[in-house]
Amino acid sequence: MWELIRVNKRNSVLLLGAMGTVLLILGFVLGMVFARGNPQAGWVGMFVAAIIWLVMMGVSLSAGDQILLASSKATPVTPDVHPMLFNVVEEMTIAANMPKMPKIYIINDPAPNAFATGRSPETASVAVTAGLLTKLNRDELQGVMAHEISHILHRDILFVTLAGVMLGSIVLISQVFLRGMFYSSLGSRRRYSSNREGGGQAQAIMMIVAILFAILAPIFAQLLYFALSRKREYLADAGAVRLTRYPEGLAGALEKIAGTDVNMESANKVTAPMYIANPFRGKKAMNLYSTHPPIKDRIRILRNMTHGAAFTDYEKSYEQVTKKKTVVPASALKPEEVAIRDASGESKSTQTARQQARQVGDLMRTVSQFAFVTCGCGLKMKIPPNYKHNKVQCPRCKKISDINASD
Amino acid sequence: MGILIGLLVPLGILVLIAVFVIGIYNTLVRLRNQVDNAWSQIDVQLKRRHDLIPNLVETAKGYMKHEQDTFTKITEARSRAMGAGNVADAAKAEGALTDALSKFMLVVENYPDLKANANFLSLQETLTSTENKISFARQGYNDQALFYNNKIQMFPSNVVAGMFSFTKRDFFEIENEAEREAPKVQF
């Protein structure tokens, strides 16, 4: 695992270096265009691009996880809201020898999904949707949390933050430029044509180059980012199996996640790579822009692991299923024997969709501090936190109940 | 001038070596502390299980009148584990406790009333989780010990380890075959 972390760090540095180069060249080219071909303005442009990137990075390193959690509408929860979730996260924290349990958040969303964020294992947070909690059994939830803990262990959370910011800066700069070009060219076409003949031509060529670059740079950066984030999903799956010693748990969870066709409301294109499975459905399953590997392949790889739960077993299974080579870096593949354990036996009774929907609702009301009062006639009343009175009347049998008594 | 360089170069090399050795030494100390910490985590979880049992027995007793035998086994194993003088005895008693608890969890299936008790359900989740935490703590210790042992045996850290007598750690292994199977708690 430590070898894997080292390789991951090296790959992250390489990727960030490549994206950084794109960012700086973009700044240079655009600066030159603004100053009509003066190379010194190119350096200024490069400087401005670097400043934009530094400011965005400063913000995202100091408060990025909070911004992400807030924009996903995630609520921090205490153990009594969902004891099993806390137990499972603690189990994985122990198995991974992590110094501290990550903070736990629940998102009010019926689509099953989860993500991890933060800068380091010490400051990490995990967020799960209410839909995930009601759909999965204990082993499956454990698999998902092990996947998220693996992202934290492999330092993927830091990588996603840094690469996301870099991508964001590149997109921002080229958008500003392209829009600026569009509007200014509408008003100032005459000025260009009145220039001297030769200079005008050179400028036009440079302008085209700059526009091309501004269009291509974000695409290039995105392709790099997505390619690496796909690979990290496989690696987190491998790590999860090694932690839980139970591939079927994660496989079952992914199957249930794949089986739902609801989009997540609070996810967007930038945060999509952070989730355990792509939060958007209905698009083409796999292309260069995919942030996640095809979920069916991930399930098949996991189900194909019958001999052991080590990284070498995952690698073997990956090669058999996808007919491709090396997903796990070679230096992390040391021979070890890791036996697969049996199912914990606890299986959730089959529930109807309606029961599950009701459970999601109750869970979210607990999170937002609703009080629950069960009336003598069997009706369960949900009291919002801003209800000021001590007593409540049952809408069915009209009996008055005490709110605090049954709280 | 020549004498100065002749003095400075060996001195520089010595300082470099010292910095290198200090770096490795600190890494080894950090790793050893992590192994110790992982080991103590096992004890933390075992103690948690001991604390949980009285409450569990108290809740279940009323519902399971015909299972006095199971309860006696659980309480006996617990007090033997808590009073064990050496590591071998403790390991044996903990093994017996794991066995007794997994039998108890099997028998629970025959008592639907008990399974409808909200208090018991939450205890059951806590027990499952504690059993899991014990086996994950052992697994985590072994992972950590493996990494530490590798570091001690590989060049160049093995030289530093030899100088300051860092010794290999034993892996946690379960002696009897029956306990090897035990961590699955059936519900």
Side-chain angles (χ1 to χ4, degrees), chain A residues 196-342:
Chain A
R196 271 175 295 128
E197 199 55 14
Q201 205 164 22
Q203 248 176 42
I205 290 170
M206 224 170 74
M207 190 61 89
I208 290 167
V209 169
I211 292 176
L212 269 181
F213 202 80
I215 294 171
L216 290 181
I219 296 176
F220 177 68
Q222 267 184 28
L223 289 182
L224 271 180
Y225 176 43
F226 291 158
L228 210 63
S229 86
R230 284 200 295 271
K231 190 166 180 184
R232 301 220 168 187
E233 288 302 316
Y234 283 125
L235 285 177
D237 282 356
V241 171
R242 204 181 168 286
L243 284 181
T244 57
R245 311 283 205 247
Y246 188 60
E248 182 52 36
L250 183 57
L254 287 176
E255 196 167 57
K256 284 186 185 170
I257 291 170
T260 44
D261 45 3
V262 220
N263 281 342
M264 266 197 76
E265 282 170 19
S266 50
N268 59 47
K269 221 173 141 187
V270 178
T271 58
M274 312 196 87
Y275 288 89
I276 183 167
N278 196 346
F280 304 111
R281 316 279 152 174
K283 293 178 186 166
K284 254 179 255 140
M286 177 69 186
N287 55 34
L288 285 175
Y289 278 108
S290 304
T291 53
H292 289 72
I295 204 162
K296 291 220 171 67
D297 278 1
R298 289 168 69 189
I299 298 170
R300 277 197 357 243
I301 293 170
L302 292 168
R303 293 239 159 101
N304 192 26
M305 294 178 73
T306 43
H307 299 297
F311 281 141
T312 38
D313 298 303
Y314 190 87
E315 175 67 38
K316 221 177 279 167
S317 180
Y318 173 86
E319 284 169 14
Q320 280 169 5
V321 169
T322 62
K323 309 275 182 267
K324 280 184 240 163
K325 283 261 159 221
T326 49
V327 63
V328 184
S331 60
L333 291 173
K334 50 174 188 271
E336 56 173 351
E337 242 181 73
V338 181
I340 293 176
R341 71 172 168 86
D342 295 325

Side-chain angles (χ1 to χ4, degrees), chain A residues 87 90-91 97 138 243 344, chain B residues 125 129 132 139-140 144 185:
Chain A
N87 282 336
E90 198 184 345
E91 285 163 23
N97 285 309
R138 197 173 204 290
L243 284 181
S344 72
Chain B
E125 164 57 28
S129 181
N132 282 350
Q139 174 187 319
Q144 203 73 50
V185 176

Side-chain angles (χ1 to χ4, degrees), chain A residues 1-3 6 83-88 90-92 94-97 138 142 242-245 334 336 341-347, chain B residues 31 34 37-38 41 45 48 125-126 128-130 132-133 136-141 143-144 146-147 150-151 154 181 184-187:
Chain A
M1 191 169 297
W2 290 270
E3 293 81 2
R6 202 173 307 138
M84 199 218 272
L85 174 64
F86 271 74
N87 282 336
V88 164
E90 198 184 345
E91 285 163 23
M92 289 303 103
I94 292 171
N97 285 309
R138 197 173 204 290
Q142 196 182 52
R242 204 181 168 286
L243 284 181
T244 57
R245 311 283 205 247
K334 50 174 188 271
E336 56 173 351
R341 71 172 168 86
D342 295 325
S344 72
E346 182 252 17
S347 58
Chain B
L31 289 176
Q34 280 173 359
N37 183 40
Q41 191 57 244
Q45 300 309 329
R48 200 185 265 191
E125 164 57 28
T126 315
T128 313
S129 181
T130 309
N132 282 350
K133 280 168 195 162
F136 282 128
R138 287 168 177 168
Q139 174 187 319
Y141 166 77
D143 282 353
Q144 203 73 50
L146 177 71
F147 186 60
N150 282 346
K151 202 84 187 171
M154 280 189 300
E181 294 292 313
K184 58 170 177 190
V185 176
Q186 294 280 346
F187 291 119

Side-chain angles (χ1 to χ4, degrees), chain A residues 99-170:
Chain A
K100 197 168 149 263
M101 225 174 113
K103 287 193 282 297
I104 299 178
Y105 291 75
I106 295 183
I107 302 169
N108 184 5
D109 200 311
N113 225 322
F115 70 82
T117 181
R119 285 189 311 280
S120 61
E122 286 80 14
T123 58
S125 310
V126 291
V128 298
T129 63
L132 187 88
L133 290 175
T134 50
K135 284 205 175 71
L136 303 189
N137 68 29
R138 197 173 204 290
D139 279 337
E140 290 161 352
L141 187 62
Q142 196 182 52
V144 171
M145 291 338 280
H147 175 99
E148 298 308 331
I149 297 272
S150 297
H151 273 316
I152 297 174
L153 274 183
H154 300 166
R155 309 296 190 275
D156 293 347
I157 48 173
L158 179 65
F159 160 74
V160 166
T161 311
L162 292 180
V165 168
M166 194 81 95
L167 179 61
S169 312
I170 293 174

